[in-house]
């Protein structure tokens, strides 16, 4: 309670206090948590994609997945220019989604796809340094090689890549498209909002339709309720929730931190394979997973050890 002249002025103290977590979670820590949430959801999405391409042509499945956003475009106005949204959706949505769906359509299993998808961490760091002029901390040069050693052990060593196929090439192409898409998100400051998520997916569907019509044999362009259901699941998990969290994460984290978060995807896929699909966990999974977590924790611990800057409101 403050007296000012002859008037009694009551200041609502609660409006000047930060939420309970704010003193402990600065923007960088929040960004890390957003990124982890996105990665966990993406890991679950791999299963939906694998099941979906078993029921429909990979490009048709991607169309089912993105088309769900079309009716919602009438209810949300885009918060970015159409040029920016088209650039992001062509590279990030259509590029990475189509190439990953094609890879699984050519027989690449979810675990192998999750492993090779991690090459996007290298692409992301390289692109961030070249185009965004980001400086990579010394810890990255230590943790990244350790993480890839863990991945190598996790997936059974050299036997993983003994048979190089077109499917593996598609996965690597998807990883590059994913990294370039993340670069565009940071470059154009595309923030996380329902409007952005809906328009990215909806524009992707409008482009995907003609692509399917001209590239997929007519007899394979058929509606499958089962494939549409898997597409809806992938849309909700990846395009809505994971994209929303990841867009928020990219606004506050640098490429180095984002790359370490992405390493958690194969661990998520393994956990889902074990608990949902009934797969067995091997010794190399435990050893490789431990090494991956060690490498990622080097970056995560550094972020959480930083002392947050407390915001002090000025009283007048």
């Amino acid at each position: 309670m403050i007296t000012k002249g002859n008037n009694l002025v009551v200041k609502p103290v609660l409006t000047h206090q930060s939420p309970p977590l704010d003193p402990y979670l600065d923007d960088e820590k929040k960004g890390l948590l957003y990124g982890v949430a996105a990665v966990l959801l993406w890991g679950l999405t791999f299963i939906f994609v694998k099941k979906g391409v078993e029921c429909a042509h990979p490009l048709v499945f991607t169309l089912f997945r993105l088309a769900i956003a079309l009716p919602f475009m009438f209810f949300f106005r885009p918060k970015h220019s159409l040029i920016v949204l088209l650039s992001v959706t062509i590279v990030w949505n259509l590029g990475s989604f189509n190439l990953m769906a094609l890879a699984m359509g050519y027989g690449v299993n979810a675990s192998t796809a999750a492993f090779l998808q991690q090459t996007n961490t290298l692409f992301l760091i390289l692109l961030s340094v070249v185009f965004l002029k980001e400086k990579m901390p010394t810890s990255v040069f230590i943790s990244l090689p350790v993480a890839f050693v863990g991945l190598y052990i996790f997936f059974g060593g050299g036997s993983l890549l003994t048979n190089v196929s077109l499917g593996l090439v598609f996965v690597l192409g998807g990883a590059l498209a994913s990294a370039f898409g993340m670069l565009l998100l940071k470059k154009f400051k595309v923030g996380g909002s329902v409007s952005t998520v809906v328009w990215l997916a909806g524009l992707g569907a409008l482009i995907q339709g003609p692509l399917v019509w001209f590239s997929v044999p007519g007899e394979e362009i058929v509606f499958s309720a089962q494939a549409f259901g898997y597409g809806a699941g992938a849309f909700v998990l990846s395009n809505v929730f994971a994209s929303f969290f990841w867009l928020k994460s990219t606004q506050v984290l640098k490429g180095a931190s984002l790359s370490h978060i992405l390493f958690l995807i194969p661990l998520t896929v393994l956990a889902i394979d074990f608990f949902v699909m009934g797969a067995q966990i091997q010794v190399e999974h435990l050893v490789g997973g431990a090494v991956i977590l060690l490498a990622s924790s080097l970056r995560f611990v550094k972020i959480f050890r930083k002392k947050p800057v407390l915001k002090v409101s000025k009283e007048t």
Side-chain angles (χ1 to χ4, degrees), residues 191-204:
S193 68
V194 176
S195 169
T196 299
V197 167
V198 166
W199 274 81
L200 285 176
L203 289 173

Side-chain angles (χ1 to χ4, degrees), residues 78-187:
K79 293 186 177 182
H80 301 274
S81 70
L82 287 179
I83 297 297
V84 170
L85 292 174
L86 281 171
S87 301
V88 173
T89 200
I90 289 172
V91 177
W92 195 35
N93 280 349
L94 299 184
S96 61
F97 292 171
N98 279 330
L99 289 170
M100 189 60 64
L102 285 170
M104 293 188 177
Y106 274 85
V108 177
N109 60 50
S111 297
T112 303
F115 169 75
L116 290 177
Q117 181 73 8
Q118 303 321 300
T119 56
N120 67 0
T121 60
L122 297 179
F123 294 137
L124 177 59
I125 288 176
L126 179 61
L127 293 173
S128 296
V129 170
V130 173
F131 293 104
L132 301 182
K133 308 303 180 184
E134 289 186 0
K135 293 183 179 179
M136 293 298 106
T138 306
S139 60
V140 172
F141 297 100
I142 300 174
S143 57
L144 279 182
V146 173
F148 273 100
V149 169
L151 287 168
Y152 185 80
I153 297 171
F154 184 91
F155 290 101
S159 61
L160 176 72
L161 302 177
T162 49
N163 297 315
V164 177
S165 65
L166 184 60
L168 298 183
V169 175
F170 282 141
V171 177
L172 291 174
L176 178 59
S178 174
F180 197 74
M182 293 176 192
L183 178 78
L184 292 177
L185 292 175
K186 290 179 66 66
K187 178 68 175 178

Side-chain angles (χ1 to χ4, degrees), residues 45 48-67 97-98 101 208 212 226-232 234-235:
T45 304
F48 283 82
V49 174
K50 182 62 178 176
K51 292 292 185 180
V53 297
E54 292 175 357
C55 309
H57 188 282
L59 297 185
V60 176
F61 170 75
T62 301
L63 177 58
F64 289 160
R65 173 179 176 175
L66 297 175
F97 292 171
N98 279 330
Q208 184 76 0
V212 167
Q226 194 172 10
F228 185 82
Y230 285 123
F235 173 80

Side-chain angles (χ1 to χ4, degrees), residues 238-305:
S238 178
N239 295 80
V240 177
F241 290 108
S243 295
F244 178 80
F245 289 134
W246 191 255
L247 288 171
K248 285 187 170 296
S249 182
T250 57
Q251 299 310 302
V252 294
L253 292 181
K254 293 185 177 181
S257 298
L258 293 172
S259 66
H260 284 72
I261 296 173
L262 294 172
F263 281 122
L264 300 177
I265 290 180
L267 301 184
T268 305
V269 174
L270 175 66
I272 295 168
D273 278 344
F274 177 72
F275 290 108
V276 179
M277 311 298 289
Q280 293 184 344
I281 294 182
Q282 307 297 329
V283 175
E284 57 265 26
H285 294 151
L286 297 176
V287 176
V291 176
I292 294 171
L293 288 175
L294 172 64
S296 296
S297 65
L298 293 176
R299 184 64 185 164
F300 298 164
V301 170
K302 183 176 180 180
I303 290 177
F304 273 93
R305 287 184 65 182

Side-chain angles (χ1 to χ4, degrees), residues 18-35:
S18 299
L21 290 179
D22 275 2
Y24 306 99
L25 295 178
D26 56 21
D27 287 343
E28 193 171 21
K29 294 183 180 69
K30 290 178 182 177
L32 179 59
L33 295 178
Y34 283 134

